[in-house]
Amino acid sequence: MQKPVKLSREDLLSKITGEAFITCENIFGYSGVIADSSPRFSVLSVKLLLRQIGYSHIDLSPAYDDDVKAAVRQIQKNNGLEADGLVGPRTKLALIKEKNDPSTPFLTSGN
């Protein structure tokens, strides 16, 4: 296992010279946009996470239903994203951020 490295914001910004690619564990098990036609396990992963962050009314069926879409839209609005109800790459990061797990890194728009 690699030893974690801490960088200050200034140190990190000085090393970025162009595009930056951020990698993280895909906790949803699916690399595409999660929506109505997504694999069951991906929809269930989204639903489980939604329940963990306070959306207790979300049922655990494999259907990407109106309750899921509404919860996802709310999270998207809260994070300044287009509120389309679909779980794309930025929404996945927003969902992870909403979990508020201190062991999970996330990006902020702070100065």
Side-chain angles (χ1 to χ4, degrees), residues 8-71:
S8 70
R9 181 178 185 274
E10 291 76 24
D11 288 340
L12 179 61
L13 289 176
S14 72
K15 296 180 180 359
I16 298 175
T17 59
E19 283 187 305
F21 295 90
I22 309 298
T23 60
C24 66
E25 180 182 359
N26 183 359
I27 65 169
F28 302 103
Y30 186 63
S31 61
V33 173
I34 300 173
D36 296 335
S37 61
S38 297
R40 296 166 52 109
F41 61 85
S42 296
V43 173
L44 285 169
S45 295
V46 170
K47 286 183 159 191
L48 284 169
L49 184 56
L50 287 170
R51 288 177 63 110
Q52 288 174 357
I53 61 176
Y55 293 88
S56 57
H57 67 283
I58 300 290
D59 72 38
L60 292 179
S61 73
Y64 198 87
D65 55 30
D66 290 339
D67 286 341
V68 173
K69 292 174 191 172

Side-chain angles (χ1 to χ4, degrees), residues 78-91:
N78 293 348
N79 287 276
L81 302 173
E82 178 186 350
D84 60 7
L86 306 176
V87 181
R90 290 182 180 166
T91 301

